[in-house]
Amino acid sequence: MDESLFKCAPDVVPPRLTAGTTVAQLIAAMGRTSFEARNVSRGAHLFARMIQEGDTIWFGIAGAGIAGGMGGYVAALVESGFVDVVCSTGAQVYHDLHFAFGLPVKAISPAADDDLLRRHGDTRIYDIGIREKETLEAQDALIRDFVRTRHDRLGGRELASWEFNLELGRWAAETAPHPERSFVVAAALKGVPVFWDSLANHSIAMNLVRTDREGYPVRLSAQRDIFDSAAIAYGADATGFVELGGGGPKNFIQQTGPTISQILQVPFEGADRGLQVSTANEREGSLSSCTFGEAVTWGKYRTADDQKLIQVWAEYSLVLPLLSAYVLDGCAPRRPKDLAAQVPARRRRLADAEAQGRSKA
């Protein structure tokens, strides 16, 4: 009989947990088991390597995790210098501010009579309860107040979404009673750009329709978002993507590579490392922006190395706390890159590379 191909593989020896087990010990124990527990452990170690080796780290945040209170994890990572750029939905930026301004968000049962909730002025996102008047309408009024009071900084030019969110976070830092509860505030104070995956499908944009009509127009540019995000990626020595869920945020951060190489025709090989936490399935198309292997063929990542690209098949509210606790406990804080201040220089660098390529064509 031929020698086993498993000969050099590690033995599976059931780990034992004891009282006082640390996060690092738990992650190590999970790595000695199987299935998604092992992938969570591998992902935690990959995230730590991104931090320790100086990657420019992008966080893609889909779904409703921020509305459910997970912005605190993101804020802690931002404040430790472990997140350099964020792409989330406009809805999550909007809901994040409920916590900063002390607007009611409740933990409820998902087994609700939705007709009854509607009659009482209650709305919900699964097991998150939000009042229509006291939360949503109050938040709408705050967004409009921000636009009016900061219109001298917002109006008269085209804005990328990160520029709008930078001003929004700074304003909330000055005016909200609980700014420490907001990842948008933390990002603004640390110079972390926060992009939206879409300029249109959320309540902030809905409120901009009204402020436009009231004489406070704000012009957002999708093209500026795309070029600025590409410029950040192009100027990085190494890039790591951490993707919570799929959808638009995942696609937005991964399209930076093809924007540079395919559209602008500037040589670029994509991101160096990627970690994705999602329950999506590629077999029927819901794994937005494809598997990591497919992404390599599009120039979104440099190589299909399974030590650098790790997929965790899980719902991210279970995994983000483990990842966050692991790196916050085990990695030294990094000096923030303050990419918000660097975007103009990075724009020029990418534009110069594009112009040089055209001159040679």
Side-chain angles (χ1 to χ4, degrees):
M1 183 180 293
D2 292 336
E3 187 175 63
S4 172
L5 297 177
F6 303 150
K7 180 179 179 181
C8 296
D11 293 327
V12 174
V13 178
R16 297 289 294 269
L17 298 181
T18 61
T21 296
T22 67
V23 171
Q25 290 168 337
L26 176 61
I27 291 293
M30 293 171 70
R32 293 195 298 271
T33 58
S34 58
F35 311 121
E36 294 312 308
R38 188 190 298 169
N39 284 333
V40 169
S41 180
R42 294 175 64 231
H45 287 94
L46 178 63
F47 190 13
R49 289 198 301 275
M50 291 180 188
I51 293 167
Q52 292 161 351
E53 297 175 17
D55 289 11
T56 293
I57 299 175
W58 293 64
F59 238 52
I61 310 170
I66 301 301
M70 285 171 237
Y73 305 140
V74 181
L77 295 170
V78 165
E79 290 166 351
S80 295
F82 298 165
V83 171
D84 302 302
V85 194
V86 173
C87 180
S88 189
T89 63
Q92 294 312 294
V93 170
Y94 174 85
H95 290 304
D96 173 77
L97 294 176
H98 302 339
F99 303 104
F101 284 95
L103 306 180
V105 179
K106 301 291 188 177
I108 65 169
S109 168
D113 180 335
D114 291 316
D115 289 329
L116 182 62
L117 292 181
R118 180 63 180 166
R119 289 196 295 273
H120 281 259
D122 293 323
T123 66
R124 72 180 181 97
I125 306 170
Y126 189 58
D127 60 353
I128 306 161
I130 300 174
R131 289 287 291 168
E132 182 169 355
K133 184 176 182 61
E134 292 88 341
T135 308
L136 300 180
E137 292 184 12
Q139 187 69 73
D140 294 338
L142 286 164
I143 294 295
R144 296 193 296 269
D145 183 53
F146 159 67
V147 172
R148 297 182 193 112
T149 58
R150 293 295 173 93
H151 194 256
D152 59 328
R153 303 183 191 182
L154 301 172
R157 62 192 176 100
E158 287 192 337
L159 295 173
S161 63
W162 73 266
E163 293 173 301
F164 182 94
N165 289 326
L166 182 67
E167 291 294 339
L168 179 60
R170 289 171 173 170
W171 174 80
E174 297 172 6
T175 60
H178 307 290
E180 73 282 356
R181 298 178 183 176
S182 164
F183 91 85
V184 176
V185 169
L189 297 180
K190 294 295 183 180
V192 172
V194 176
F195 290 89
W196 296 328
D197 68 313
S198 168
L199 301 183
N201 65 342
H202 47 80
S203 292
I204 294 177
M206 291 157 60
N207 278 287
L208 293 181
V209 171
R210 176 165 166 179
T211 51
D212 278 4
R213 298 172 69 83
E214 292 175 346
Y216 298 93
V218 174
R219 290 183 292 143
L220 297 170
S221 169
Q223 294 94 321
R224 195 173 181 89
D225 267 5
I226 293 168
F227 192 85
D228 284 359
S229 61
I232 290 171
Y234 185 71
D237 293 330
T239 296
F241 292 158
V242 177
E243 299 156 359
L244 305 176
K250 175 187 172 185
N251 187 67
F252 183 91
I253 67 177
Q254 289 191 165
Q255 76 180 16
T256 50
T259 296
I260 298 166
S261 61
Q262 180 182 334
I263 305 302
L264 300 178
Q265 300 284 290
V266 174
F268 189 76
E269 295 183 357
D272 299 87
R273 299 186 252 219
L275 169 61
Q276 177 176 261
V277 184
S278 174
T279 58
N281 188 326
E282 79 257 29
R283 290 172 178 81
E284 34 74 277
S286 63
L287 187 58
S288 179
S289 303
C290 66
T291 63
F292 278 135
E294 292 171 32
V296 170
T297 71
W298 287 82
K300 297 174 181 179
Y301 296 93
R302 290 176 178 268
T303 178
D305 182 342
D306 66 4
Q307 298 304 306
K308 295 182 177 181
L309 302 176
I310 295 176
Q311 166 76 47
V312 178
W313 197 87
E315 195 272 299
Y316 75 74
S317 72
L318 301 173
V319 178
L320 178 59
L322 292 171
L323 296 177
S324 301
Y326 181 76
V327 297
L328 289 166
D329 184 59
C331 297
R334 304 194 306 182
R335 181 188 299 274
K337 297 184 187 296
D338 193 12
L339 291 178
Q342 297 181 36
V343 170
R346 295 202 180 198
R347 281 188 199 128
R348 291 192 295 271
R349 180 177 174 184
L350 180 55
D352 289 346
E354 182 190 13
Q356 185 177 11
R358 286 180 179 175
S359 68
K360 294 179 179 178

